[in-house]
């Protein structure tokens, strides 16, 4: 296993008050596997990834029984070790490629700067050659011309390819893609995901992809993790989660999408009533209980555990009523 | 009343001059000869990539931009046709209003919710503070928010609540037509469904006509009556929403439909389950490939003499580079019914 997390808890100190954000998160990821994380905004999808990258602010408190990535214990790394670790073992691409690139320097300079930090002791010419190769690899046409461009001269799709090129420069064993295609058009979305998967196969890299778009996650990921208010409420293979969801939240999400077979056009869609419970609020029972259509007494009093729901070890659900 | 025409968009063109270099500039066509109609109580969806001219069209209809060619006219109940340029602005904007994409930047952060909602009224009526609050409360209720939000500021509201405020503001002048410029794209899935339901309810109750700009085909199919597909400023396909999305005929529309993601095509769907061990290995080896059209949208030069989509089109031939396809009306026979479809492709 390339990534192994057991009972990860993340919280933030806000004026001396501890506010939990991620509760008891456990999962594992193998090389070459794609894990998709879905959930609404504010449910803690991104916080886990920032923890894996060591990018949490200083008021964050991270505790875990086990937090190992590529054989390294993340909780024991110091600042310098983190710097070597980031980029070499784990890399991340962000939602908005335009914000991820420095607008005032050329693509070539940005790539060379990054390469010279990562792989020391080469000449400028060699670095430029490497930068060109990287751009070729991510499918940018006429890469030698693009090197001299500033980010604003690129389209969103091209800029995202440059960001991917940067992330992949050091052949990380795990890539975290946080909403990598949300800012892009549908046709470009498909191109970018094709590119990511090509690279994943070539280098047997593991991918964590975060999105609020269930369509993208279920088509692209091997395994899906549904987050709700800081907890995993369901996880399983793409087949399991999309065709046979157990948790009422997963069901609610899938049913609220337009284009279900039996829906008359312009008829009302199913909705999940209410809003996500604030991530820091402590509750006695299930965190979804206020929005759940079939909540029982036990749901108000006892927090449900994440339990196995089929004979496949990775199919889990956090609900009292099924499984 | 059935299918009464409300707005006629005829041959709209919009050219922009972009500077190429020190020595000169070049004119590009952001919109080229776009003709559409809005019918009372119906929804027309406009889909296309960024750069296809969707928002430019909305701006021209809202008189925020002048068109370079063509005209937009409103048709009243007595079937009188008036060019929108000739309608006094106060009267015009009480007929047509807009809901914007980003509910975070489209509400003034320094005004209270009730002030935001009644702001359009200031140009038309004089109201006391109490009257304004009453009006605002009425429209808040209409969009499903309680009157307790009246004295809040926008930053205390969630994205979905803000979008509801944006809709209330658009409704306050009792318009006939609403332009919805990607009103859902900044919202979460479960909130999206709530806003779709709200817009559908308002359409049923108030008989509103929508011009719905979107890039999400599954929403368009559910929400709209007609759909127009724009590519690089040109209409490439137009027809009934369900007809077009279920049976796209233009290669670009086909590409759009194919590259949409749906949870029904989950990964591993085509892998047979034999036993769990096998699935494990197959899952990692299986190559995944989404149908994706190559390349990116290019701006259309003024008076271009070829099909704008030709360079990305799989079925393009030499003819596509030699002349521009005409935008033609054809009859499509589908389920034993004839349906009208407009399409601009040499090969259909």
């Amino acid at each position: 296993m390339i990534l192994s997390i057991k009972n990860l808890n993340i919280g933030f100190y806000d004026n001396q008050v501890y506010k939990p954000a991620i509760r008891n998160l456990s999962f594992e990821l193998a090389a070459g596997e794609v894990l998709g994380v879905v959930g609404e905004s504010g449910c803690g999808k991104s916080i886990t990834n920032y923890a894996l990258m060591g990018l949490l602010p200083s008021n964050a408190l991270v505790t875990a029984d086990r937090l190992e990535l590529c054989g390294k214990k993340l909780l024991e790394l110091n600042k310098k070790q983190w710097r070597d670790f980031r980029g070499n073992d784990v890399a991340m691409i962000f939602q908005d490629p335009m914000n991820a690139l420095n607008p005032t320097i050329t693509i070539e300079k940005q790539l060379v700067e990054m390469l010279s930090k990562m792989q020391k002791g080469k000449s400028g010419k060699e670095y430029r050659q490497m930068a060109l190769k990287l751009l070729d690899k991510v499918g940018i046409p006429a890469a030698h011309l693009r090197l001299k461009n500033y980010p604003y001269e690129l389209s969103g799709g091209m800029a995202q390819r440059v960001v991917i090129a940067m992330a992949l420069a050091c052949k990380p064993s795990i890539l975290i893609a946080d909403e990598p295609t949300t800012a892009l058009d549908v046709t470009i979305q498909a191109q970018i995901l094709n590119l990511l998967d090509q690279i994943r196969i070539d280098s047997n890299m593991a991918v964590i992809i975060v999105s609020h778009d269930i369509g993208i996650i279920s088509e692209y990921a091997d395994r899906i993790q549904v987050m709700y208010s800081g907890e995993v409420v369901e996880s399983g293979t793409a087949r399991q989660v999309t065709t046979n969801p157990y948790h009422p939240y997963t069901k609610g999400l899938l049913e609220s999408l337009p284009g279900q077979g039996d829906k008359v056009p312009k008829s009302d869609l199913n909705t999940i009533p209410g809003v996500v419970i604030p991530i820091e609020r402590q509750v006695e029972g299930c965190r979804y209980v206020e929005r759940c259509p079939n909540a029982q007494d036990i749901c108000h009093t006892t927090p449900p555990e994440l339990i196995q729901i089929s004979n496949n070890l990775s199919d889990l659900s956090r609900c009292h009523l099924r499984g | 009343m059935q299918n009464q025409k409300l707005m006629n968009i005829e041959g709209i063109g919009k050219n922009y001059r972009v500077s190429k270099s020190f020595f000169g500039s070049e004119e590009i066509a952001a919109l080229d000869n776009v003709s559409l109609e809005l019918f009372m109580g119906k929804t027309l969806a406009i889909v296309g990539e960024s750069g296809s001219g969707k928002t430019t069209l909305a701006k021209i209809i809202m008189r925020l931009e002048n068109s370079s060619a063509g005209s937009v006219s409103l048709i009243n109940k007595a079937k009188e046709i008036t060019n929108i340029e000739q309608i006094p602005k106060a009267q015009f904007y009480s007929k047509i209003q807009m809901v914007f994409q980003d509910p975070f930047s489209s509400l003034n952060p320094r005004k209270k919710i009730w002030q935001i909602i009644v702001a359009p009224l200031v140009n038309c009526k004089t109201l006391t503070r109490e009257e304004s609050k009453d009006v605002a409360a009425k429209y808040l209720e209409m969009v499903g928010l309680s009157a307790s939000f009246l004295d809040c500021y926008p930053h205390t509201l969630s994205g979905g609540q803000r979008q509801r405020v944006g809709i209330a503001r658009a409704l306050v002048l009792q318009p006939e037509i609403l332009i919805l410029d990607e009103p859902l794209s900044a919202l979460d899935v479960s909130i999206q469904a709530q806003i779709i339901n709200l817009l559908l309810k308002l359409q049923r109750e108030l008989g509103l006509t929508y011009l719905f700009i979107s890039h999400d085909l599954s929403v368009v199919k559910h929400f709209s009556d007609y759909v127009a597909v724009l590519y690089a400023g040109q209409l490439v396909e137009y027809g009934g929403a369900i007809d077009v999305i279920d049976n796209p005929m233009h290669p670009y529309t086909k590409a759009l439909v194919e590259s949409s993601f749906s949870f029904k095509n989950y990964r591993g769907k085509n892998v047979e389950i034999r036993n769990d061990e096998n699935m494990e290995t197959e899952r990692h080896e299986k190559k995944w490939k989404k149908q994706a059209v190559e390349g990116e949208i290019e701006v259309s030069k003024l008076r271009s003499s070829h099909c704008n989509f030709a360079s990305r089109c799989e079925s393009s031939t030499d003819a596509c580079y030699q002349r521009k396809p005409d935008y033609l009306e054809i009859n499509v026979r589908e389920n034993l019914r004839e349906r009208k479809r407009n399409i601009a492709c040499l090969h259909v």
Side-chain angles (χ1 to χ4, degrees):
Chain A
M1 287 295 156
I2 214 159
L3 171 66
S4 170
I5 298 178
K6 199 166 179 212
N7 282 334
L8 172 70
N9 280 281
I10 304 174
F12 297 91
Y13 280 103
D14 184 14
N15 291 328
Q16 315 282 325
V17 186
Y18 178 75
K19 292 188 170 169
I22 295 289
R23 293 177 177 83
N24 298 331
L25 182 69
S26 306
F27 68 91
E28 288 184 327
L29 194 62
E33 196 177 7
V34 185
L35 174 72
V37 184
V38 276
E40 289 173 271
S41 20
C43 64
K45 295 183 302 244
S46 300
I47 299 174
T48 320
N49 296 334
Y50 289 142
L52 295 180
M53 288 289 288
L55 293 173
L56 288 172
S58 56
N59 66 341
L61 179 74
V62 183
T63 57
D65 292 349
R66 188 167 66 236
L67 183 57
E68 281 179 24
L69 218 167
C70 308
K72 294 193 181 77
K73 293 191 169 68
L74 296 189
L75 293 176
E76 291 163 14
L77 294 183
N78 64 26
K79 241 185 176 169
K80 180 165 182 314
Q81 287 167 323
W82 261 120
R83 202 176 308 155
D84 294 336
F85 179 70
R86 272 196 292 261
N88 276 324
D89 291 312
V90 53
M92 186 160 179
I93 51 180
F94 297 90
Q95 174 169 358
D96 189 348
M98 287 303 176
N99 286 340
L101 296 171
N102 186 335
T104 62
I105 49 177
T106 59
I107 302 301
E108 181 173 41
K109 260 196 171 163
Q110 299 191 41
L111 283 167
V112 168
E113 184 188 356
M114 186 256 324
L115 287 167
S116 60
K117 288 262 160 59
M118 286 297 180
Q119 306 176 14
K120 295 198 167 69
K122 289 196 170 113
S123 73
K125 198 175 167 191
E126 278 173 308
Y127 285 130
R128 280 198 291 279
Q129 282 296 327
M130 287 165 75
L132 185 65
K133 257 195 204 135
L134 275 176
L135 288 197
D136 267 337
K137 195 177 160 197
V138 294
I140 290 182
H144 57 288
L145 298 174
R146 290 292 171 201
L147 278 174
K148 303 291 175 202
N149 281 147
Y150 288 90
Y152 75 89
E153 294 174 290
L154 303 179
S155 66
M158 283 300 155
Q160 193 62 291
R161 284 175 195 263
V162 173
V163 173
I164 291 173
M166 284 181 155
L168 299 174
C170 298
K171 303 201 169 59
S173 27
I174 178 165
L175 178 74
I176 300 171
D178 196 343
E179 307 257 7
T181 60
T182 309
L184 307 174
D185 282 309
V186 270
T187 55
I188 311 296
Q189 247 177 26
Q191 290 176 4
I192 293 289
L193 288 176
N194 278 343
L195 170 68
L196 279 182
D197 213 52
Q198 186 57 50
I199 297 165
R200 177 187 69 86
I201 290 165
D202 291 349
S203 54
N204 200 27
M205 173 179 75
V207 177
I208 298 180
I209 179 168
V210 175
S211 179
H212 66 274
D213 188 330
I214 306 164
I216 288 181
I217 292 292
S218 46
E219 282 198 35
Y220 183 62
D222 299 313
R223 204 143 54 87
I224 300 179
Q225 204 176 59
V226 185
M227 300 277 294
Y228 185 77
S229 189
E231 289 178 336
V232 173
V233 292
E234 177 150 9
S235 83
T237 57
R239 179 194 303 272
Q240 167 71 27
V241 174
T242 52
T243 57
N244 192 13
Y246 267 65
H247 198 280
Y249 178 63
T250 320
K251 279 186 197 159
L253 274 185
L254 293 176
E255 282 167 7
S256 65
L257 292 171
Q260 310 289 23
D262 50 346
K263 276 277 172 207
V264 181
K266 302 192 94 169
S267 64
D268 278 355
L269 296 169
N270 295 338
T271 58
I272 305 175
V275 290
V276 183
I277 173 174
I279 202 164
E280 70 273 7
R281 192 181 295 163
Q282 301 279 11
V283 292
E284 270 186 19
C286 170
R287 299 187 66 78
Y288 187 63
V289 68
E290 280 169 29
R291 304 176 78 182
C292 185
N294 27 1
Q296 309 285 319
D297 286 347
I298 185 175
C299 305
H300 289 275
T301 52
T302 323
E305 296 284 317
L306 200 57
I307 44 172
Q308 195 178 331
I309 50 169
S310 74
N311 47 16
N312 193 339
L313 277 176
S314 67
D315 293 342
L316 306 166
S317 172
R318 191 187 290 276
C319 184
H320 285 303
L321 304 175
R322 296 280 299 272
Chain B
M1 280 301 280
Q2 197 77 45
N3 279 354
Q4 193 196 326
K5 212 194 271 184
L6 213 58
M7 180 186 272
N8 203 8
I9 300 165
E10 211 172 300
I12 286 287
K14 177 72 191 172
N15 306 333
Y16 287 107
R17 188 165 279 284
V18 287
S19 52
K20 260 298 209 210
S21 68
F22 180 74
F23 295 104
S25 59
E26 181 185 36
E27 267 200 297
I28 58 155
L31 284 177
D32 184 9
N33 199 12
V34 172
S35 298
L36 288 167
E37 291 159 339
L38 283 186
F39 295 102
M40 185 180 261
K42 302 283 182 193
T43 304
L44 167 67
I46 297 188
V47 296
E49 283 170 276
S50 32
S52 61
K54 300 177 302 223
T55 303
T56 309
L57 182 64
K59 280 181 175 167
I60 288 170
I61 295 172
M62 284 302 283
R63 293 170 72 180
L64 301 169
E65 276 295 345
N66 293 321
S67 60
S68 312
S71 66
V72 182
S73 36
L74 286 176
I75 299 158
N76 67 7
K77 290 211 173 71
K79 303 216 164 158
E80 289 164 342
I81 303 171
T82 338
N83 191 323
I84 55 167
E85 303 289 331
Q86 285 149 12
I87 304 172
K89 280 210 167 164
Q91 198 189 333
F92 176 72
Y93 287 120
S94 68
K95 285 200 163 138
I96 179 162
Q97 280 287 323
M98 188 157 175
V99 177
F100 299 91
Q101 173 171 13
D102 183 358
F104 294 87
S105 61
S106 62
L107 304 181
N108 186 341
R110 304 182 66 168
K111 298 264 193 227
K112 291 179 176 167
I113 297 301
W114 72 268
Q115 289 172 312
I116 291 172
I117 292 176
V118 297
L121 282 176
V122 174
N123 298 321
C124 309
K125 286 182 201 162
T126 41
L127 290 172
T128 65
R129 190 186 162 90
E130 273 61 46
E131 281 170 344
S132 315
K133 276 201 170 182
D134 284 347
V135 172
K138 185 180 139 203
Y139 282 93
L140 268 187
E141 199 203 321
M142 203 184 268
V143 297
L145 292 177
S146 76
S148 59
F149 286 104
L150 280 176
D151 286 308
C152 294
Y153 286 96
H155 72 263
T156 58
L157 271 57
S158 70
Q161 287 166 341
R162 283 172 203 229
Q163 202 55 288
R164 285 171 194 265
V165 171
I167 294 170
R169 173 177 60 184
L171 290 176
V172 79
L173 289 173
Q174 301 177 327
E176 294 168 3
I177 301 170
L178 276 193
I179 309 228
L180 309 165
D181 188 359
E182 307 221 21
L184 306 168
S185 59
L187 305 175
D188 276 316
V189 187
S190 70
I191 311 297
Q192 256 186 29
Q194 291 176 9
I195 299 290
I196 291 175
N197 286 353
L198 170 68
L199 289 167
L200 288 171
K201 186 190 98 176
L202 292 170
Q203 186 168 47
R204 280 195 300 269
E205 288 173 3
L206 308 173
L208 291 170
T209 304
Y210 292 144
L211 182 79
F212 178 62
I213 298 175
S214 178
H215 60 260
D216 189 334
L217 290 180
S218 61
V219 174
V220 167
K221 187 176 157 189
H222 183 77
F223 185 74
S224 328
D225 299 287
Y226 306 100
V227 61
V229 185
L230 271 179
Y231 185 78
Q234 283 184 335
L235 278 177
V236 295
E237 189 159 5
Y238 170 85
I242 297 169
D243 299 344
V244 169
I245 292 167
D246 283 348
N247 179 23
M249 294 176 76
H250 193 281
Y252 177 62
T253 321
K254 279 184 191 157
L256 274 186
V257 172
E258 276 167 1
S259 53
S260 304
F261 289 84
S262 160
F263 72 87
K264 288 182 181 145
N265 304 322
Y266 54 87
R267 190 172 197 144
K269 187 177 186 179
N270 304 322
V271 180
E272 236 177 276
I273 311 181
R274 268 158 294 179
N275 60 53
D276 284 339
E277 236 172 84
N278 250 337
M279 219 177 107
E280 201 75 24
T281 48
E282 271 181 272
R283 186 163 82 199
H284 295 309
E285 281 160 16
K286 188 182 153 262
K287 192 165 154 43
W288 178 87
K289 181 118 188 179
K290 185 82 186 164
Q291 277 292 335
V293 56
E294 302 275 312
E296 297 190 359
I297 194 165
E298 281 168 24
V299 289
S300 160
K301 292 211 176 75
L302 202 59
R303 288 177 285 278
S304 74
S305 58
H306 58 82
C307 173
N308 286 343
F309 189 60
S311 58
R312 295 175 76 184
C313 185
E314 275 185 353
S315 46
S316 65
T317 55
D318 288 346
C320 299
Y321 289 95
Q322 277 150 15
R323 72 187 180 88
K324 207 164 202 158
D326 296 320
Y327 181 63
L328 297 172
E329 188 176 289
I330 54 168
N331 286 317
V332 183
R333 191 183 289 279
E334 212 177 288
N335 301 333
L336 302 172
R337 280 177 69 188
E338 293 254 314
R339 287 168 197 275
K340 290 218 182 326
R341 176 91 60 102
N342 290 44
I343 193 162
C345 182
L346 291 176
H347 297 289
V348 175

